[in-house]
Amino acid sequence: MRDRRVLVLNHFAAPRGEAGGTRHVELFSRLDGWEHLIIASNLNPQTGRTVGDSDGFVTVPVVGYSSNGISRILNWVSYAVSATLRGLGVGRVDVVYGSSPHLLAALAAWVLAVLKRAPFVLEVRDLWPKVLVDMNHLSETSPVYRILTALEEFLYARAKTIVIMAEGSRTELVARGVDAAKIVYIPNGADPEDFVPSAPRDELRDRYGFTRVTAVYAGAHGPANGLDLLLDGAAAVPDVDVVLVGGGVLKDTLRDDARRRGLDNVRFLDPIAKDEIPDLLAAADIGLHVLADVPLFRSAVSPNKVFDYMAAGLPTLTNCPGLITDLVNDAGAGLTVAPAALGDGLTALAAMTTQSREAMGRTAQAWIGDNQSRRSMAGRLATALGRVSRS
């Protein structure tokens, strides 16, 4: 029996050797009985560097951007056009899989599904455009919001299956009339075996220059991430070092703000490849998950970084109420605080003994391995794809 083929459109996908979101590379590479091809942007939004092709992963040219203005919209449009043209050159496929957040990538996937007479699967990473309203980037009365909402409804209606990453998204979609039977929950996850460091902890701490209790944030530096709240927390706890690793449109602004405020305990590092993350986390004492105080984030997020921290055996501090707070508390994976109380959490974790933090990390690692590994999530994905490819 031949392997089935799935074509995946994800503007912001990254291969393992790059910084950024590796969800699709890690999930689709674990599928049994399927070949996959991921079409992504040739520009990594965290590093700004050009990304090359690799096995099962190809890139298309896009317009670059450095802010949230018109250049970013052109970036989305250019990806949708380039990905559609690249996808037309791909042979037979059994499923076309389109991932948000921006809806033009998913629209391009639907176009390819129609042209190739294959079922269309939609992955909802963020509830667009609702999240833009909650973050005050759009008004519900604006023409842009109405256009995006119409596009969103169009895609929901035409998807054979809708993959969600947070249970709060299911509630929202069903309330809007989406058939619950076609919604599949496949959150982010991580495998502890992927987070084995390459050297002893003391050696890694020397490599990264960690000399005191050190909390690491590894991820995007954008408006949704609420990193101004992290700077406030760092200011309240000057004897804890806070290291931010990654890139994004607000990184320079955040760095300038930290310098202006004299935050000597805050350090910014360039984005690093995903395969270096295990060493970074092994050297740290605390993993930081930070989001802006947006109501939708309380029920409709599935943050990679939390699962990475757990898989690495690192206690997590989160300021996101709702779903993530419940996860961290239920798994015994760290501490949770109110959105603006990161300083309190840093103080409490720094006051623990190293042994207590390590025990918390081991509990988190056991939970992620038992409940939310990438391998088990790939099994869910294989079941969902198999169902739609036979329909």
Side-chain angles (χ1 to χ4, degrees), residues 106-107 110-111 114 120 122 147-159 176 182:
L107 179 63
W110 172 78
V111 169
V114 171
F120 166 55
L122 171 65
I147 291 170
L148 289 175
T149 299
L151 176 56
E152 179 190 27
E153 301 288 351
F154 177 90
L155 294 169
Y156 291 158
R158 282 153 183 80
R176 295 175 58 180
K182 69 178 185 179

Side-chain angles (χ1 to χ4, degrees), residues 39-300:
I39 302 178
S41 161
N42 71 336
L43 290 180
N44 185 311
Q46 284 204 32
T47 65
R49 296 193 299 263
T50 301
V51 179
D53 296 353
S54 55
D55 186 34
F57 187 98
V58 297
T59 62
V60 293
V62 297
V63 174
Y65 71 93
S66 58
S67 68
N68 284 321
I70 188 65
S71 63
R72 190 165 191 183
I73 296 173
L74 292 174
N75 175 261
W76 300 338
V77 172
S78 63
Y79 170 79
V81 172
S82 296
T84 301
L85 295 174
R86 181 64 177 82
L88 288 173
V90 175
R92 170 201 50 81
V93 297
D94 297 280
V95 178
V96 181
Y97 188 104
S99 179
S100 65
H102 81 75
L103 298 175
L104 296 182
L107 179 63
W110 172 78
V111 169
L112 287 169
V114 171
L115 294 175
K116 292 179 175 296
R117 299 181 180 179
F120 166 55
V121 174
L122 171 65
E123 181 181 83
V124 178
R125 295 175 66 86
D126 290 317
L127 285 168
W128 268 45
K130 181 175 172 58
V131 68
L132 301 178
V133 173
D134 285 357
M135 293 182 65
N136 297 317
H137 292 331
L138 275 183
S139 164
E140 288 185 338
T141 60
S142 71
V144 172
Y145 177 81
R146 290 196 292 269
I147 291 170
L148 289 175
T149 299
L151 176 56
E152 179 190 27
E153 301 288 351
F154 177 90
L155 294 169
Y156 291 158
R158 282 153 183 80
K160 292 289 187 181
T161 290
I162 298 174
V163 173
I164 60 169
M165 298 170 61
E167 284 291 0
S169 297
R170 184 194 306 274
T171 303
E172 175 75 15
L173 295 181
V174 171
R176 295 175 58 180
V178 174
D179 181 2
K182 69 178 185 179
I183 299 174
V184 178
Y185 175 53
I186 307 177
N188 280 320
D191 294 289
E193 59 265 30
D194 291 339
F195 286 83
V196 178
S198 66
R201 173 176 159 82
D202 287 347
E203 182 179 325
L204 295 172
R205 285 179 67 83
D206 287 343
R207 180 192 303 175
Y208 292 106
F210 297 171
T211 58
R212 304 191 297 176
V213 173
T214 302
V216 166
Y217 170 89
H221 295 45
N225 305 108
L227 296 178
D228 54 321
L229 300 172
L230 179 54
L231 295 188
D232 292 343
V237 193
D239 56 343
V240 174
D241 288 331
V242 174
V243 178
L244 296 90
V245 184
V249 295
L250 293 184
K251 182 163 185 173
D252 289 342
T253 300
L254 290 162
R255 184 190 284 115
D256 291 345
D257 190 30
R259 186 181 301 114
R260 178 184 58 80
R261 298 171 67 176
L263 300 180
D264 297 331
N265 61 326
V266 174
R267 185 154 56 109
F268 292 86
L269 300 182
D270 291 336
I272 62 175
K274 189 64 181 278
D275 53 12
E276 189 184 339
I277 290 289
D279 286 350
L280 173 74
L281 300 186
D285 301 286
I286 302 162
L288 292 165
H289 171 252
V290 186
L291 282 174
D293 189 11
V294 174
L296 190 62
F297 292 162
R298 302 184 181 199
S299 61

Side-chain angles (χ1 to χ4, degrees), residues 4 31 34 184 186 377-390:
R4 286 167 288 183
L31 292 181
W34 286 86
V184 178
I186 307 177
M377 296 304 104
R380 292 191 195 181
L381 178 59
T383 299
L385 294 178
R387 188 165 55 244
V388 298
S389 68
R390 292 189 295 268

Side-chain angles (χ1 to χ4, degrees), residues 342-354:
L342 286 162
D344 294 340
L346 288 169
T347 298
L349 280 166
M352 292 181 179
T353 64
T354 299

